[in-house]
Amino acid sequence: MPFFHPPKSWRTGRPSSDDAPMDESDFWNRREILRTLGVGGVAALAGAGSLAVSSLVGCRGDDDPAYDTPALHPRFESIFRGNSAERTHPAYGRVRPDITPQSVASRYNNFYEFTQQKSQVWRLAQRYPTIDDWDLEVTGLVAKPRRLALEEVLTVAPLEERQYRFRCVERWSMQVPWLGYPLRSLIDRLGPLPSARYVRFVSRVDREHMPGTRNRDYHWPYFEALRLDEARHDLAFLALGIYGRAMPMQHGAPFRVVTPWKYGYKSPKSIVAIEFTDRPPNTFWHREEPEAYGLYSNVDPTKRHPRWSQAVETDIGTGRDRATLLLNGYADAVSHLYTGREDQTPTSGWDA
Ligand SMILES: Nc1nc2c(c(=O)[nH]1)N[C@H]1C(S)=C(S)[C@@H](COP(=O)(O)O)O[C@H]1N2
Ligand SMILES: [Mo]
């Protein structure tokens, strides 16, 4: 069942009042989070904000299939071997009290190519065939359009681990340790022309193994875009792994973008193509609902989504609510990218 990105036909007449103590989307958000965490039923809603951590984590049965199996073929394992402490980024190391348990983060996902049910994505994704072969197509304003083999993408730069906050536009958040390298390293390898100002990413469509792509409510593939200077910012990351290992499919194997100051949908998974352009590219969600999903989509507690406030978020690890931070807490690092620009918000102009 869809929650915040329902098909067009469902979108009319949804409540959006600020006055409602808990609007419809909030209700479903909590219920879905709690159900995923193993807290049964609507009865749990009343105490949702104050439930003890211990009652929320690790209470799923042991008979579940593994949720942490890397999607990549084991022949790539040596690329991921390494000591977590040694490869930790000095500014973004693991902060254990804040980290979301993998048993939660890897069983609560948005990946519509599999399903719109966040608690079921991982099960379907675990059935995706082992990834042994995966070309990345590079086109547009680039010195040499070409295809990169999987091995080349995986080895562009030494792997770093970074714990980032991650905020979905639907108001859930987590903190996970990604394994990867700065997106800038890949961009430098690809060599965009000086005229390139944007970079566009396209995700895989596999009708056989991604059942959600047979859903005709959406026009696949999923695609996203960044301004090139955003993509080159030190925080922008190409994640190849999570929790110290190669990525399980539900997080976007073999590689996905992570831009922690933006809403989660700006981090496309399972990327098969990159294109450099001089015009602002469209994006999957902007095409679906332009008023709600802009090119920039920076986390901002003061800017409402058309159907809900963004002032508060729920941490999926603890079930606790907390105030949303401007630029998801990364304002010191990235706000200079937007000073003097009126074009950064979902509701203002598209052109930049
Ligand atoms: N290809 C693709 N990428 C995607 C999505 C998707 O449905 N398809 N969902 C996005 C959204 S809305 C979020 S919040 C994050 C979720 O990432 P996670 O499941 O690894 O936590 O992935 C983003 N990337
Ligand atoms: Mo999201």
Side-chain angles (χ1 to χ4, degrees):
M1 163 167 198
F3 289 89
F4 297 99
H5 304 311
K8 280 228 164 65
S9 55
W10 293 39
R11 281 200 190 115
T12 45
R14 289 167 69 90
S16 60
S17 166
D18 259 332
D19 305 322
M22 181 184 279
D23 71 20
E24 183 191 29
S25 52
D26 200 11
F27 174 87
W28 286 110
N29 191 22
R30 285 183 174 286
R31 200 166 87 145
E32 174 79 353
I33 288 172
L34 293 168
R35 189 173 52 215
T36 303
L37 300 175
V39 179
V42 179
L45 282 169
S50 57
L51 277 173
V53 181
S54 59
S55 71
L56 287 171
V57 292
C59 42
R60 289 287 288 253
D62 289 336
D63 48 350
D64 277 332
Y67 51 80
D68 57 355
T69 311
L72 273 182
H73 191 279
R75 76 184 171 92
F76 299 107
E77 219 171 80
S78 61
I79 296 171
F80 294 85
R81 217 169 282 147
N83 178 318
S84 164
E86 279 166 16
R87 61 190 176 194
T88 291
H89 187 285
Y92 309 112
R94 287 199 195 194
V95 181
R96 302 220 178 251
D98 299 336
I99 211 160
T100 304
Q102 184 170 15
S103 57
V104 176
S106 297
R107 294 189 300 191
Y108 190 81
N109 305 93
N110 267 333
F111 202 165
Y112 275 31
E113 286 86 335
F114 287 97
T115 171
Q116 293 168 33
Q117 284 182 270
K118 283 180 255 299
S119 59
Q120 298 303 315
V121 171
W122 70 276
R123 291 176 192 278
L124 295 169
Q126 292 299 311
R127 291 186 209 148
Y128 194 90
T130 302
I131 297 171
D132 199 3
D133 202 19
W134 187 286
D135 287 352
L136 177 66
E137 193 185 352
V138 184
T139 60
L141 301 171
V142 64
K144 205 175 93 190
R146 63 184 179 122
R147 279 177 178 273
L148 273 76
L150 176 55
E151 178 110 32
E152 183 173 358
V153 182
L154 299 179
T155 55
V156 159
L159 297 193
E160 295 173 16
E161 184 175 275
R162 300 184 180 195
Q163 181 174 328
Y164 281 160
R165 283 182 288 277
F166 187 95
R167 169 64 156 80
C168 175
V169 73
E170 299 163 342
R171 294 179 298 191
W172 54 268
S173 66
M174 62 181 190
Q175 290 201 31
V176 297
W178 301 105
L179 200 54
Y181 55 76
L183 183 56
R184 184 183 50 224
S185 303
L186 177 64
I187 290 172
D188 290 347
R189 172 71 64 95
L190 305 180
L193 298 174
S195 53
R197 292 188 55 212
Y198 300 88
V199 56
R200 175 174 186 264
F201 307 94
V202 183
S203 295
R204 163 141 287 173
V205 181
D206 178 336
R207 289 171 67 84
E208 187 184 351
H209 301 108
M210 295 173 150
T213 63
R214 290 177 230 144
N215 177 348
R216 289 169 183 275
D217 288 332
Y218 295 102
H219 297 101
W220 308 100
Y222 192 98
F223 56 104
E224 257 301 337
L226 296 168
R227 225 170 57 201
L228 200 48
D229 59 334
E230 296 179 309
R232 283 190 158 128
H233 189 281
D234 181 55
L235 276 175
F237 207 55
L238 191 79
L240 322 175
I242 193 168
Y243 296 97
R245 300 172 71 195
M247 206 84 89
M249 194 64 199
Q250 67 269 33
H251 288 294
F255 36 81
R256 60 93 63 83
V257 165
V258 178
T259 46
W261 69 100
K262 293 176 177 288
Y263 291 116
Y265 60 89
K266 295 294 298 181
S267 66
K269 296 177 168 181
S270 304
I271 295 166
V272 292
I274 292 186
E275 182 187 10
F276 293 97
T277 69
D278 54 358
R279 312 273 318 156
N282 202 351
T283 68
F284 182 86
W285 286 117
H286 181 74
R287 186 187 55 193
E288 287 294 319
E289 202 181 339
E291 329 76 57
Y293 308 110
L295 174 63
Y296 286 91
S297 299
N298 294 320
V299 175
D300 185 339
T302 69
K303 301 241 157 53
R304 287 182 52 83
H305 182 279
R307 292 187 294 280
W308 58 85
S309 155
Q310 291 291 18
V312 173
E313 66 196 38
T314 304
D315 180 297
I316 60 170
T318 61
R320 285 198 204 103
D321 287 351
R322 54 168 231 163
T324 303
L325 301 174
L326 181 64
L327 294 160
N328 204 24
Y330 298 100
D332 287 353
V334 295
S335 55
H336 71 273
L337 291 170
Y338 309 104
T339 42
R341 304 188 76 111
E342 287 301 317
D343 54 14
Q344 63 175 289
T345 67
T347 45
S348 60
W350 187 251
D351 279 355

